[in-house]
């Protein structure tokens, strides 16, 4: 993919735009304890970071040994909201990265619209993505399925092969590859580099390097 062919850069939200993953891992551990089960931090990172609600729920139900009621997570949303309001910041270097891009940008996250908008508002990033926010709630299947990225590209009027995706999770880069888009895997957060590596994927650890990587890959 040449520099001229990149017309749209699709950003994940959590861990890519906002530095939320460490907060989420801590809250996830509290939720697991309340449910009476235990996941290590490594297991939470491997199973939950970047996952859809369906993947998250399936993993919890398997460990729990029973089904959970529909919408079970809603009773815990206040824990995330309170932690984000108190601690959430933008990912280091993302403001500089956004300033250095010439292509159009949008957000495509497995989170819900209200949560995405709230995170962007708290971190002062809303103006970059107003009217260009896409959620797994908009499609039949969230990541790792390609549906969300394809929906975002179609909504923005850009062919998949002219899109670049910036992700920080194994689920996210898998979805980007499945959508036929170039993946840029950010390993400056919790997910180790080796979980992001693969065909058609550039792995990097400094968000400020993103504009240059888009020009050269």
């Amino acid at each position: 993919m040449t520099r001229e062919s990149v017309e749209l850069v699709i950003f994940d939200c959590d861990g890519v735009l906002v530095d939320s993953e460490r907060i989420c891992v801590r809250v996830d551990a509290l939720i697991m304890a309340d449910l009476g089960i235990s996941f290590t931090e490594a297991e939470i990172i491997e199973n939950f970071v970047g996952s859809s609600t369906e993947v998250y729920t399936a993993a919890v139900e398997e460990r729990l040994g029973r089904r959970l009621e529909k919408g079970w997570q809603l009773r815990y949303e206040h824990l995330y909201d309170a932690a984000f309001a108190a601690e959430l910041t933008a990912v280091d270097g993302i403001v500089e990265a956004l300033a250095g891009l010439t292509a159009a940008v949008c957000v495509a996250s497995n989170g819900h619209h209200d949560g995405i908008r709230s995170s962007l508002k708290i971190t002062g990033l809303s103006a970059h993505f107003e009217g260009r926010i896409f959620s797994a709630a908009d499609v039949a299947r969230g990541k790792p399925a390609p549906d969300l990225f394809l929906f975002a590209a179609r909504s923005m009027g850009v062919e998949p092969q002219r899109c670049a995706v910036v992700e920080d999770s194994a689920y996210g880069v898998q979805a980007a590859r499945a959508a036929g888009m170039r993946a840029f895997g950010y390993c400056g957060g919790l997910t180790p580099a080796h979980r992001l590596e693969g065909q058609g994927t550039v792995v990097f650890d400094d968000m400020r390097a993103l504009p240059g990587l888009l020009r050269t890959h």
Side-chain angles (χ1 to χ4, degrees):
M1 183 177 284
T2 64
R3 174 181 51 155
E4 291 76 19
S5 69
V6 178
E7 297 180 5
L8 175 66
V9 183
I10 303 175
F11 288 89
D12 178 38
C13 184
D14 293 306
V16 170
L17 297 176
V18 303
D19 194 9
S20 56
E21 300 294 21
R22 290 177 178 82
I23 299 172
C24 288
V25 167
R26 190 177 72 243
V27 174
D28 285 342
L30 292 174
I31 293 171
M32 299 305 109
D34 187 65
L35 290 170
I37 56 178
S38 175
F39 280 84
T40 66
E41 180 176 305
E43 286 178 320
I44 291 173
I45 293 169
E46 182 172 350
N47 288 284
F48 302 150
V49 170
S51 71
S52 65
T53 299
E54 293 75 19
V55 170
Y56 185 100
T57 297
V60 172
E61 287 179 337
E62 182 178 3
R63 184 67 57 90
L64 196 58
R66 63 176 175 83
R67 298 294 298 272
L68 291 163
E69 71 276 12
K70 186 177 177 62
W72 69 275
Q73 287 177 287
L74 296 178
R75 68 178 184 267
Y76 296 111
E77 283 190 352
H78 69 283
L79 299 177
Y80 296 105
D81 292 343
F84 281 10
E87 304 173 46
L88 191 63
T89 60
V91 163
D92 182 46
I94 191 61
V95 172
E96 294 90 334
L98 290 168
L101 297 179
T102 56
V105 298
C106 69
V107 179
S109 167
N110 269 346
H112 291 286
H113 278 283
D114 288 347
I116 300 167
R117 291 194 181 93
S118 176
S119 291
L120 294 177
K121 182 177 180 180
I122 290 170
T123 55
L125 298 175
S126 296
H128 295 281
F129 300 101
E130 193 63 44
R132 300 185 303 280
I133 297 173
F134 305 99
S135 160
D138 300 326
V139 295
R141 302 176 300 169
K143 309 167 197 177
D147 304 31
L148 178 55
F149 290 145
L150 293 173
F151 175 73
R154 186 166 62 250
S155 299
M156 296 290 291
V158 180
E159 293 295 322
Q161 64 269 25
R162 296 185 180 275
C163 296
V165 172
V166 186
E167 270 284 356
D168 73 317
S169 74
Y171 292 113
V173 293
Q174 181 181 336
R177 294 176 195 135
M181 301 176 182
R182 172 62 66 91
F184 288 79
Y186 175 64
C187 65
L190 294 182
T191 303
H194 71 86
R195 297 206 68 220
L196 302 174
E197 292 169 350
Q199 185 175 5
T201 304
V202 177
V203 178
F204 69 109
D205 64 2
D206 184 351
M207 197 59 76
R208 295 173 186 83
L210 181 62
L213 292 172
L214 286 164
R215 289 192 293 268
T216 57
H217 292 80

